Amino acid sequence: MSQSREPEMTTPAGEAASAGMNQGMRVLSYLIAGVALYGGIGWGADHLLGTVFLLPIGLVAGAALAMYMIIKRFGVPPAAERGAVAGTTDKGRV
């Protein structure tokens, strides 16, 4: 027996919630990828060089660079919102 599902209705509120969820997932993936990538590089360098301090440096650097990328990419509202919020256009004129 097959079960049929009704297509989900999309509403503006549902689309906004979905967009927020997608943006949150992107932010989380930046954080995880930054820590994993630079932590992995630090671990590999520690393993090859026989040191113990490069893994923590890699983890902190990965988190810091991930936060930088998140702020750079998601910290500034789109141009249309900037103008509406500040009451100006893209060139800063009213």
Side-chain angles (χ1 to χ4, degrees), residues 4 8 17 21 25 28-29 33 38 58 63-64 81 90:
S4 63
E8 295 181 10
M21 182 71 164
M25 288 296 178
L28 181 61
S29 68
Y38 286 98
E81 290 179 19
D90 287 340

Side-chain angles (χ1 to χ4, degrees), residues 8-88:
E8 295 181 10
M9 300 288 288
T10 58
T11 62
E15 290 173 5
S18 177
M21 182 71 164
N22 290 340
Q23 186 174 8
M25 288 296 178
R26 275 190 234 122
V27 167
L28 181 61
S29 68
Y30 278 153
L31 284 172
I32 292 171
V35 170
L37 176 68
Y38 286 98
I41 291 171
W43 175 82
D46 269 344
H47 184 71
L48 289 174
L49 300 173
T51 60
V52 294
F53 64 91
L54 294 175
L55 173 63
I57 289 173
L59 292 172
V60 171
L65 289 171
M67 291 300 295
Y68 170 76
M69 289 298 297
I70 290 167
I71 291 169
K72 182 82 170 154
R73 176 146 183 168
F74 300 107
V76 179
E81 290 179 19
R82 264 195 319 250
V85 171
T88 61

